[in-house]
Amino acid sequence: MKILSSILAIGLIVMGVFLYNGKQNEAELQRDLHAQYTNRMTDASLKLTDLQESVQQATIFKDEKAQEEPLEDIWRLSSDIKTDIASLPLSREFTTEWMNYLGRLGDFAKLKSQQKVTDDKWQNVTAQVSSNLDEFAHEWENATTELLSQGEPFSQWLQEIQTIEASNSGWSGMAKQVKGYSESDFPLTASESDKQKIKDLKSIDDTPKTEQEVVERMKEMFPKFTNARLITSESKPGSAYPFYHIQFNEGIRSGYADFTKKGGHLLSLLVERPIGTDRISQEEMKEKAKKSAKSFGFKDVELIVTRENHLVWHVVFVRIEPKNKARIYADAIQMKLAKDDGEILGVNTMEYIQKEKLPVNQKIVPIDWKTFFTSKAKIQEERFSYTENNQMQQRLCYELIVLKETDDQSHTFRILVDTETKEVLQTEMLN
Amino acid sequence: MHKNKLILCIVTSCLLMMSISVPERSEAFSNQVIERGAYGEDVIELQSRLQFIGFYKGKIDGEFGYGTYWALRNFQEEFGLPVDGLAGQQTKTKLANASKYHKDYVQKQIREGNRFTHYGDVPIEQQAKKSANKQQANKQQGNNKQANKQAPTQESQIPAKYSQQDLQMMANAVYGEARGEPYEGQVAVAAVILNRIEDAKFPNTVNGVIFQPLAFTAVADGQIWLTPNERAKDAVIDALNGWDPTENALYYFNPVTATSKWIWTRPQIKTIGKHIFAM
């Protein structure tokens, strides 16, 4: 009897362990699937936004060479989105309708790139496609963002995306929308070029500074931290460039600052503190930012962007080339200011410390913008600026702010065209 | 006595004249001058009023971008104002006189995340369309009443190359990976994600990097699905704006819990909180 009880007990324990392991494996599998589906879903959202942008871009250029890239993007992105959608557990009807639509759009862009579609037809069709895509992308992003942010159990999540047609579902309406799109119109794609590069700070050859000198420099730049409690350390040997890392605490403020060892240049600083309810005006904030930039010794820069959020302002300065007043976007400084009193809560000069090498004697060839752009695109601003081409070389460009208006929409683009080769180096749709 | 009466009359007349000559302040807007880059209640009203009289065709979202800028310039030109794209007192007063603002309607649509317009020539009740994420908007509002008081829209202003979904996904990752870390450590985790996007060895999108197999512990153990707090979101916004406290790191690990021998072979850059950041 005892032996039988023992065997039974062991059997139960083994079964318990087996069941527990099974549950664990199931949970792991669910997490993996959840991650995979989320990845696909967000990927499709981003590509959809890119596609919209490419459709818009493809309607502003008359120049065939300039139009090549956006058309190629439309064809490629529509195909990518189809792949993403096909791999998601969405309702079959919705998937089929949407994939057909994307397929037609891709084919149409391909035909346009082969000059088999007239400009007039392209303009008419893309106007409708563009508005359909705007609507659809908005709904898609809302629905997917909602799913991602809810943190609900996977089974519920799965049920939600599978019941796409349910009347109370966040996805309701989207399937109908796709069906409602006419057979003759199509969507868009985007360029994924990332022109941001991190400067090689290895090559700074200024005289090395001591820890004490750098601390003094910090207190000089930010007098608020004169009496702060500091913890200073040096970068570890694996760092590409040596620097000092200073952590500080002063009453309600805490944060860090990094300075290069060579030359003692500020790399970045961030301060965290509670933000009060007072608000300074945008103009006042800009003045404070400019004044601070000057006091830090950044005298060759221009403030080009201000971005307000609920507690702080972020601003961007870029270096100006004195000869032709062109903006050098790769030599940028970012600052963060508190909305209550304009206190500097952050400075980032990583890109600014080393000057970009600019081309010498680059030709400036005049371009007839009337033949370059379609009649719907109107140039609103024109200036010179430097940006990087595919070979990572800085090039002087015509920087154009172009507005395209239709009866129910307006889109603004920032376009950079090489002044010598006339190559379009960058097209960005602005908010 | 007569002399005093005379002085009193002169002073009263002067005050009366002054009150007439001072431009009438719009009762609607705040008294701040707003321009491109601004965000919030004032911009929502500006966009709504410009749309009411047909100048603004975009989304009413409280972000003073180029769409609002061109609309404002067109309005200024048509109404004989200096064309500078700045919404100052004179422009605001003129606009307030020329348009209507259905504040409750607009605020309600934004709160509920609906798609809507505010044109003056269409009955207002026909201009709103219930959106999918009503629940989310309500939930977020409940979660963060303070933030919503100051920022009626759900979105944050971030550099154009990133989307709201990037922000959301990164905030989830930062919260799941580093919620107990100092602020600098949270910005650092977000910066590592962005550094990976720029590195040829890693995927080139935010979600591609985050969901790369075995890349982040929070994805493996499901903590990425926790709802991130405002601090994690602010840390991501700083990283998206360019801050990188890691000085270009591609990896990080907790030396106390790390089980991989390989991670110790990576060239180390610095320590922030409990994490070592490495190339």
Side-chain angles (χ1 to χ4, degrees):
Chain A
M1 187 64 187
K2 263 188 182 176
I3 294 171
L4 196 68
S5 306
S6 300
I7 290 170
L8 208 64
I10 291 168
L12 279 173
I13 291 169
V14 169
M15 239 170 86
V17 170
F18 181 76
L19 280 175
Y20 177 76
N21 273 344
K23 270 273 171 224
Q24 287 292 100
N25 287 341
E26 195 187 316
E28 244 170 63
L29 195 70
Q30 281 199 356
R31 278 200 293 267
D32 286 350
L33 262 181
H34 194 175
Q36 208 182 84
Y37 289 154
T38 308
N39 187 10
R40 286 286 186 179
M41 202 172 270
T42 45
D43 212 33
S45 310
L46 294 176
K47 285 175 187 160
L48 189 56
T49 312
D50 288 345
L51 183 62
Q52 279 174 293
E53 207 167 313
S54 289
V55 167
Q56 284 303 332
Q57 285 175 17
T59 60
I60 55 170
F61 294 114
K62 197 190 270 180
D63 184 271
E64 273 178 30
K65 208 163 169 246
Q67 212 181 39
E68 267 173 23
E69 193 175 315
L71 287 174
E72 176 71 25
D73 284 343
I74 293 174
W75 181 76
R76 179 179 55 79
L77 282 173
S78 54
S79 163
D80 283 358
I81 299 172
K82 272 166 67 180
T83 312
D84 283 338
I85 290 175
S87 65
L88 285 168
L90 303 172
S91 90
R92 187 170 294 177
E93 193 186 354
F94 170 81
T95 308
T96 311
E97 292 288 346
W98 188 220
M99 283 174 70
N100 284 344
Y101 188 78
L102 289 168
R104 291 196 298 273
L105 173 65
D107 292 345
F108 195 65
K110 194 80 187 162
L111 288 174
K112 173 67 184 142
S113 69
Q114 292 163 350
Q115 305 304 316
K116 291 179 183 167
V117 175
T118 63
D119 282 344
D120 283 349
K121 192 169 180 192
W122 172 252
Q123 292 291 346
N124 288 340
V125 167
T126 47
Q128 187 52 45
V129 164
S130 161
S131 112
N132 287 346
L133 280 181
D134 279 351
E135 178 106 348
F136 190 85
H138 175 80
E139 293 293 338
W140 173 272
E141 186 164 339
N142 278 346
T144 51
T145 305
E146 179 186 10
L147 273 175
L148 302 182
S149 67
Q150 280 179 346
E152 57 196 21
F154 180 65
S155 52
Q156 207 176 321
W157 191 92
L158 201 61
Q159 198 183 359
E160 172 92 0
I161 54 174
Q162 283 173 335
T163 54
I164 214 162
E165 308 263 38
S167 58
N168 292 325
S169 156
W171 301 80
S172 64
M174 276 194 285
K176 279 180 203 158
Q177 264 182 38
V178 186
K179 283 184 213 161
Y181 294 160
S182 87
E183 288 285 321
S184 59
D185 57 32
F186 320 94
L188 51 77
T189 359
S191 149
E192 288 156 7
S193 73
D194 187 352
K195 65 263 174 214
Q196 266 220 342
K197 74 181 178 76
I198 294 166
K199 293 241 182 135
D200 185 3
L201 294 160
K202 279 181 194 170
S203 53
I204 296 179
D205 55 3
D206 296 340
T207 320
K209 299 284 176 186
T210 64
E211 186 178 309
Q212 193 50 42
E213 283 174 320
V214 163
V215 168
E216 287 308 314
R217 171 82 179 127
M218 188 190 109
K219 288 180 178 174
E220 196 182 292
M221 289 176 84
F222 306 97
K224 272 208 163 77
F225 303 115
T226 307
N227 299 315
R229 212 155 44 88
L230 305 179
I231 302 171
T232 312
S233 57
E234 291 185 22
S235 53
K236 291 177 186 270
S239 173
Y241 44 89
F243 61 89
Y244 292 107
H245 179 52
I246 307 169
Q247 289 169 288
F248 51 78
N249 186 275
E250 163 80 79
I252 53 169
R253 295 173 181 81
S254 61
Y256 84 95
D258 283 354
F259 283 82
T260 59
K261 263 193 187 177
K262 291 179 182 172
H265 303 287
L266 173 70
L267 282 162
S268 67
L269 167 130
L270 261 184
V271 183
E272 191 188 19
R273 73 144 164 91
I275 308 290
T277 50
D278 290 346
R279 293 292 174 255
I280 60 165
S281 71
Q282 193 168 355
E283 196 50 41
E284 208 179 332
M285 180 280 299
K286 281 166 69 178
E287 282 312 309
K288 279 181 186 263
K290 286 179 196 169
K291 205 174 150 195
S292 299
K294 263 192 190 152
S295 75
F296 296 152
F298 313 137
K299 291 179 179 155
D300 54 353
V301 294
E302 180 190 337
L303 195 159
I304 58 157
V305 173
T306 62
R307 216 175 278 126
E308 182 181 11
N309 274 316
H310 68 290
L311 296 175
V312 297
W313 284 91
H314 283 99
V315 301
V316 181
F317 291 86
V318 292
R319 198 192 303 273
I320 301 296
E321 165 63 31
K323 280 184 200 161
N324 53 14
K325 304 287 174 208
R327 293 175 174 179
I328 309 166
Y329 284 108
D331 288 346
I333 294 171
Q334 293 83 22
M335 276 192 204
K336 175 181 171 183
L337 295 95
K339 276 172 79 170
D340 53 4
D341 62 1
E343 180 184 343
I344 302 291
L345 296 181
V347 183
N348 180 37
T349 61
M350 196 178 274
E351 295 173 315
Y352 173 82
I353 293 174
Q354 270 191 304
K355 280 188 180 180
E356 282 291 335
K357 200 174 165 193
L358 302 176
V360 189
N361 300 327
Q362 185 181 326
K363 281 184 194 160
I364 299 177
V365 179
I367 299 177
D368 179 7
W369 301 121
K370 281 183 186 158
T371 59
F372 199 83
F373 292 111
T374 59
S375 57
K376 285 181 180 167
K378 307 274 180 234
I379 297 173
Q380 301 290 332
E381 291 171 21
E382 185 175 344
R383 67 173 80 88
F384 286 125
S385 66
Y386 288 93
T387 198
E388 217 173 63
N389 64 8
N390 287 339
Q391 289 81 47
M392 312 277 272
Q393 294 161 331
Q394 288 293 322
R395 298 291 298 167
L396 180 64
C397 294
Y398 293 108
E399 180 181 355
L400 309 167
I401 299 295
V402 173
L403 175 66
K404 187 194 145 203
E405 276 189 302
T406 58
D407 288 344
D408 57 352
Q409 281 182 322
S410 80
H411 294 287
T412 308
F413 298 87
R414 182 170 153 269
I415 298 166
L416 297 177
V417 186
D418 191 301
T419 58
E420 189 173 337
T421 64
K422 300 184 185 179
E423 186 189 353
V424 178
L425 296 184
Q426 232 186 82
T427 309
E428 185 184 16
M429 198 153 91
L430 303 172
N431 179 17
Chain B
M1 191 62 184
H2 278 292
K3 203 177 171 185
N4 282 348
K5 266 191 179 174
L6 192 66
I7 290 170
L8 193 68
C9 272
I10 292 169
V11 170
T12 314
S13 310
C14 283
L15 283 173
L16 198 65
M17 290 288 283
M18 273 171 71
S19 72
I20 291 167
S21 63
V22 169
E24 186 191 327
R25 199 185 81 72
S26 148
E27 286 175 15
F29 290 102
S30 78
N31 54 8
Q32 293 208 341
V33 178
I34 51 171
E35 58 182 287
R36 225 164 52 219
Y39 163 92
E41 294 271 6
D42 246 15
V43 185
I44 290 174
E45 180 167 355
L46 178 69
Q47 291 172 330
S48 303
R49 286 185 178 278
L50 285 169
Q51 191 162 87
F52 192 86
I53 46 178
F55 285 91
Y56 181 64
K57 299 165 188 167
K59 183 181 167 190
I60 297 170
D61 57 5
E63 293 181 26
F64 196 142
Y66 268 100
T68 313
Y69 176 73
W70 301 129
L72 181 60
R73 286 178 67 101
N74 289 341
F75 168 79
Q76 287 175 325
E77 192 176 3
E78 198 147 307
F79 281 74
L81 295 161
V83 183
D84 54 10
L86 302 175
Q89 206 49 58
Q90 200 188 353
T91 298
K92 284 175 171 179
T93 305
K94 204 111 188 183
L95 181 57
N97 292 336
S99 63
K100 278 186 185 166
Y101 175 43
H102 298 93
K103 188 176 176 179
D104 292 342
Y105 159 81
V106 171
Q107 296 289 351
K108 181 173 179 267
Q109 306 313 320
I110 292 175
R111 238 183 355 261
E112 296 183 355
N114 296 335
R115 294 207 82 184
F116 71 101
T117 52
H118 185 257
Y119 289 105
D121 53 359
V122 181
I124 210 76
E125 61 277 9
Q126 289 173 20
Q127 297 190 59
K129 203 167 146 188
K130 290 275 178 216
S131 177
N133 66 342
K134 182 176 175 178
Q135 273 181 330
Q136 183 202 5
N138 289 338
K139 188 177 170 185
Q140 284 196 356
Q141 193 194 24
N143 284 349
N144 197 350
K145 282 183 181 164
Q146 183 58 31
N148 276 323
K149 259 184 204 172
Q150 292 161 354
T153 55
Q154 296 165 53
E155 298 182 349
S156 300
Q157 292 205 92
I158 50 178
K161 61 190 272 202
Y162 303 107
S163 71
Q164 294 298 320
Q165 237 172 24
D166 288 337
L167 171 60
Q168 168 80 46
M169 214 60 254
M170 284 178 70
N172 274 44
V174 167
Y175 188 71
E177 288 276 315
R179 61 184 172 279
E181 293 293 300
Y183 186 71
E184 178 192 355
Q186 298 193 16
V187 180
V189 168
V192 166
I193 295 172
L194 298 176
N195 290 342
R196 287 189 180 186
I197 293 171
E198 290 185 10
D199 190 289
K201 295 194 293 289
F202 294 92
N204 59 0
T205 59
V206 166
N207 56 308
V209 165
I210 291 174
F211 293 110
Q212 194 179 22
L214 307 177
F216 290 95
T217 320
V219 175
D221 64 15
Q223 292 200 49
I224 194 160
W225 306 116
L226 298 173
T227 306
N229 58 12
E230 283 298 309
R231 196 165 179 244
K233 196 172 151 189
D234 288 345
V236 174
I237 292 174
D238 281 345
L240 294 176
N241 274 289
W243 273 265
D244 179 6
T246 74
E247 305 298 340
N248 306 323
L250 291 172
Y251 302 95
Y252 63 88
F253 62 99
N254 183 336
V256 178
T257 56
T259 50
S260 158
K261 282 183 186 165
W262 173 84
I263 196 73
W264 285 97
T265 66
R266 306 306 310 165
Q268 296 179 11
I269 301 172
K270 73 179 344 185
T271 303
I272 304 172
K274 288 178 186 158
H275 289 136
I276 293 177
F277 290 82
M279 287 295 284

